[in-house]
C-alpha cells in the first residue's frame, strides 16, 4: 500500500458521505454556483455541498491553511480531484479568482495582500473577473491602453476593457493597465486589483446573436485605486500577466475533467445511440468515437506527465500552451462527434425543459468553440509553442 493510500480511502469515504447524490449528476449551466456577494443556491443540496467543501478548505485544496486553503500536498490534491471525478462530483463553486489570481498572489503577492485577498477568495465570498482584453488588444494584449496615472497614494484609471466575462456579477477585478506610457509596450504595464463598486466603474452587457451572453464591456472614468492594490512591481505587470495566463490555460485544459457545466460520457452515449454498426457510416462513427476516447486517454496521461514536470520544478509554460491547445480542440471535436452520434436527438432548443441533456449538449457544443479563443486563441497558442517549446524565431 502506498503512503497515500490511507488518504485516498479517507477522501473517498468523506466524499461518499458528504457529496449529496444530486451533486453527482451532470450540471446544467444554469445550476453553476459562482462564489461572491451574489451567491445563490438552486437547492439545499447545493448549499450543503458548497458549505462542506468550503469548511474543509477544499475550494483550494493545495493552498496553505493560513490563507484559507486545505493545506494538501500536490499528490493529495491530485487524489482528491481523481476521487471527485470518480464519483462525478460537481465542482462546489466556480471562481476565476481561485483558478487564476490566487496562485499568482501566492507566488508574487505581498504578505499583506495574501492575508487580505486570499481567505475571502478561498471561502467563495468574492467573485473575480479578468480585465485583460481591450477593443484593440486581444491576441496582441501588450497593446492595451487603459491608463493608470500615479496621483499621491492612488492610481487614477481611465479606459475600457472588453469581453470581460461576468463583469456585472463580479465583486473585484484584476486588471492590466498602462503605467509607463513612455516605455516599450511590454515594459509599461502593471497589474492592479480593484473593487468593482469603486466610483467611476461602469459595466455594459454585450448582447450576442445567440441571445445569452456573459460578456461585458467595462469602463473606467477616473477610478481611484489605492497603490497598495498594485500586485508585484510598478511596470512589472507583463511577467505577471504571462504567469497568470499559464494558470488560465491550466484551468482551461482541465475544464471537462470537473468544471465544465456538463459532462457527457462518450462511451455510454455510444452504446445508447449506436449499439451496433450496421452501415458503413456507423462504422466510421464508431471509429471516430474510439479515436476520440484514445485521444482523451492520451491527453490525460500527458497532463499527468506535465504535472510531474511542474512538480520537479521544470518550466512548463510552453507545455501549458500545448495542453490548452490540444484540449480545447479535442473538446470541440468531441462535441461535434456527440452531435453526429445523437443526430436530431442532440439538438436542444431554448426553453425545451423536456430535453435538458440535448439542450446542455447544444450549449456545450457552441461553448466548445469559444474555449478555443478564450485565454488566447489556438493560433496564439501555436505561436507560443513555436517560440517557447520549439525555440523558433519570431515571424518577421
Ligand atoms: C468565452 C470567452 C471568454 C472571455 N473572457 C474574457 C475575460 O474574462 N477577460 C478578458 O480580458 N478577455 C476575455 N476574453 C477575450 C479573449 O481573451 C480574446 O477574445 C482573445 O484573446 C482573442 O482576442 P480578440 O478577440 O481581440 O481577437 P483578435 O486578437 O483580434 O484575433 C482575431 C483572429 O486573428 C488571429 N490572430 C491574431 N493574432 C495572431 C497572430 N499573431 N498569429 C496568428 N493568428 C493571429 C486569432 O487567432 C483570431 O483568429 C474571452 C473570450 C472568450 C471567447
Amino acid at each position: 500500500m502506498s503512503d497515500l493510500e490511507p488518504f485516498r480511502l479517507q477522501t473517498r469515504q468523506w466524499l461518499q458521505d458528504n457529496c449529496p447524490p444530486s451533486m453527482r449528476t451532470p450540471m446544467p449551466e444554469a445550476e453553476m454556483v459562482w462564489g461572491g456577494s451574489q451567491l445563490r443556491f438552486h437547492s439545499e443540496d447545493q448549499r450543503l455541498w458548497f458549505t462542506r467543501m468550503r469548511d474543509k478548505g477544499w475550494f483550494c485544496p493545495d493552498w496553505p491553511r493560513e490563507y484559507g486553503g486545505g493545506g494538501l500536498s500536490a499528490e493529495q490534491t491530485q487524489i482528491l480531484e481523481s476521487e471527485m471525478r470518480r464519483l462525478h462530483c460537481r465542482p462546489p463553486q466556480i471562481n476565476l479568482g481561485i483558478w487564476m489570481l490566487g496562485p499568482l498572489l501566492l507566488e508574487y503577492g505581498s504578505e499583506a495582500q495574501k492575508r487580505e485577498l486570499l481567505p475571502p477568495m478561498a471561502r467563495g465570498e468574492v467573485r473575480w473577473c479578468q480585465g485583460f482584453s481591450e477593443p484593440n488588444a486581444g491576441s496582441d494584449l501588450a497593446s492595451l491602453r487603459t491608463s493608470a496615472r500615479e496621483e499621491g497614494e492612488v492610481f487614477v484609471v481611465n479606459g475600457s476593457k472588453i469581453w470581460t466575462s461576468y463583469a456585472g456579477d463580479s465583486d473585484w477585478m484584476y486588471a492590466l493597465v498602462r503605467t509607463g506610457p513612455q516605455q516599450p509596450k511590454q515594459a509599461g504595464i502593471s497589474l492592479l486589483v480593484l473593487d468593482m463598486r469603486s466610483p467611476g466603474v461602469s459595466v455594459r452587457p454585450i448582447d450576442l446573436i445567440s441571445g445569452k451572453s456573459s460578456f461585458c464591456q467595462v469602463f473606467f472614468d477616473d477610478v481611484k485605486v489605492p497603490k497598495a492594490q498594485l500586485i508585484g512591481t510598478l511596470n512589472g505587470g507583463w511577467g505577471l500577466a504571462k504567469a497568470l495566463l499559464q494558470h488560465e490555460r491550466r484551468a482551461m485544459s482541465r475544464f471537462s475533467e470537473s468544471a465544465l457545466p456538463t459532462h457527457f460520457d462518450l462511451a455510454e452515449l455510444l452504446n445508447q445511440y449506436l449499439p451496433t454498426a450496421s452501415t458503413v457510416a456507423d462504422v466510421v462513427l464508431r471509429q471516430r468515437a474510439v479515436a476520440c476516447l484514445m485521444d482523451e486517454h492520451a491527453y490525460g496521461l500527458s497532463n499527468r506527465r506535465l504535472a510531474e514536470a511542474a512538480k520537479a520544478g521544470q518550466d512548463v509554460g510552453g507545455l501549458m500552451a500545448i495542453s490548452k491547445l490540444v484540449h480545447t480542440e479535442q473538446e470541440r471535436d468531441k462535441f461535434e462527434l456527440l452531435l453526429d452520434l445523437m443526430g436530431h436527438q442532440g439538438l436542444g432548443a431554448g426553453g425545451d425543459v423536456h430535453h435538458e441533456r440535448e439542450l446542455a449538449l447544444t450549449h456545450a457544443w457552441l461553448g466548445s468553440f469559444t474555449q478555443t479563443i478564450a485565454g488566447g486563441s489556438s493560433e496564439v497558442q501555436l505561436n507560443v509553442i513555436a517560440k517557447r517549446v520549439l525555440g523558433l524565431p519570431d515571424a518577421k
Side-chain angles (χ1 to χ4, degrees), residues 96 129-141 161-166 214-215 248 367 369-380 383:
L96 297 196
C129 61
Q130 172 169 301
F132 279 18
S133 307
E134 296 187 7
N136 289 310
S139 301
D140 183 15
L141 187 56
K161 295 285 172 185
I162 200 163
W163 312 128
T164 320
S165 302
Y166 303 103
S214 58
F215 288 137
E248 178 169 17
F369 286 84
T370 68
Q371 300 308 310
T372 63
I373 301 170
S377 66
S378 289
E379 291 77 11
V380 166
N383 285 345

Side-chain angles (χ1 to χ4, degrees), residues 147-379:
S147 67
R149 193 180 70 245
E150 288 189 74
E151 219 177 86
E153 284 312 298
V154 296
F155 291 103
V156 181
V157 179
N158 281 287
S160 155
K161 295 285 172 185
I162 200 163
W163 312 128
T164 320
S165 302
Y166 303 103
D169 302 319
S170 297
D171 304 304
W172 277 66
M173 170 190 272
Y174 50 92
L176 290 175
V177 290
R178 187 154 297 285
T179 39
Q182 311 305 336
Q183 318 243 29
K185 62 182 185 179
Q186 270 103 345
I189 293 173
S190 298
L191 181 67
L192 295 181
V193 294
L194 60 99
D195 188 334
M196 292 295 280
R197 287 161 309 184
S198 310
V201 176
S202 53
V203 177
R204 196 184 70 194
I206 301 175
D207 292 331
L208 293 184
I209 197 165
S210 56
K212 206 165 137 295
S213 161
S214 58
F215 288 137
C216 299
Q217 185 162 7
V218 182
F219 298 90
F220 306 98
D221 189 8
D222 282 335
V223 178
K224 294 192 172 57
V225 178
K227 282 194 171 162
Q229 290 171 208
L230 168 75
I231 309 297
T233 55
L234 188 69
N235 295 327
W238 187 245
L240 297 181
K242 286 201 292 188
L244 193 140
L245 285 171
Q246 276 183 35
H247 292 302
E248 178 169 17
R249 282 165 199 156
R250 176 165 184 266
M252 290 185 67
S253 67
R254 298 158 77 215
F255 264 175
S256 74
E257 287 180 14
S258 62
L260 201 77
T262 46
H263 40 258
F264 291 91
D265 189 329
L266 176 55
E268 186 192 311
L269 287 172
L270 188 65
N271 283 336
Q272 186 181 340
Y273 285 91
L274 199 63
T276 54
S278 47
T279 66
V280 173
D282 292 350
V283 174
V284 171
L285 259 183
R286 287 188 75 91
Q287 278 174 346
R288 278 175 62 198
V290 170
C292 183
L293 288 168
M294 283 166 65
D295 284 348
E296 272 191 358
H297 187 62
Y299 172 78
L301 293 175
S302 304
N303 241 8
R304 272 167 56 188
R305 197 153 41 87
L306 190 70
E308 291 297 322
K311 214 167 68 192
Q314 291 174 21
D315 174 12
V316 292
L319 299 180
M320 215 63 97
I322 299 182
S323 194
K324 194 263 176 185
L325 171 77
V326 170
H327 187 61
T328 52
E329 296 278 330
Q330 263 182 8
E331 283 294 288
R332 195 196 47 204
D333 290 350
K334 181 176 86 181
F335 286 118
E336 295 264 2
L337 172 63
L338 285 170
L339 279 184
D340 290 349
L341 192 60
M342 290 168 72
H344 70 280
Q345 297 176 82
L347 293 175
D352 195 354
V353 288
H354 300 297
H355 295 98
E356 237 174 63
R357 184 167 71 172
E358 289 73 11
L359 184 60
L361 175 59
T362 310
H363 277 152
W365 171 62
L366 290 169
S368 68
F369 286 84
T370 68
Q371 300 308 310
T372 63
I373 301 170
S377 66
S378 289
E379 291 77 11

Side-chain angles (χ1 to χ4, degrees), residues 50 54 59-60 68 93 98 118-126:
F50 178 96
R54 179 198 63 198
F59 288 165
C60 4
Q93 68 136 12
I98 290 177
L118 292 176
M121 197 186 279
R123 289 193 298 269
E125 291 167 3
V126 179

Side-chain angles (χ1 to χ4, degrees), residues 95-106:
N95 193 318
L96 297 196
I98 290 177
W99 285 346
M100 301 176 207
L101 182 66
L104 194 82
L105 284 174
L106 281 170

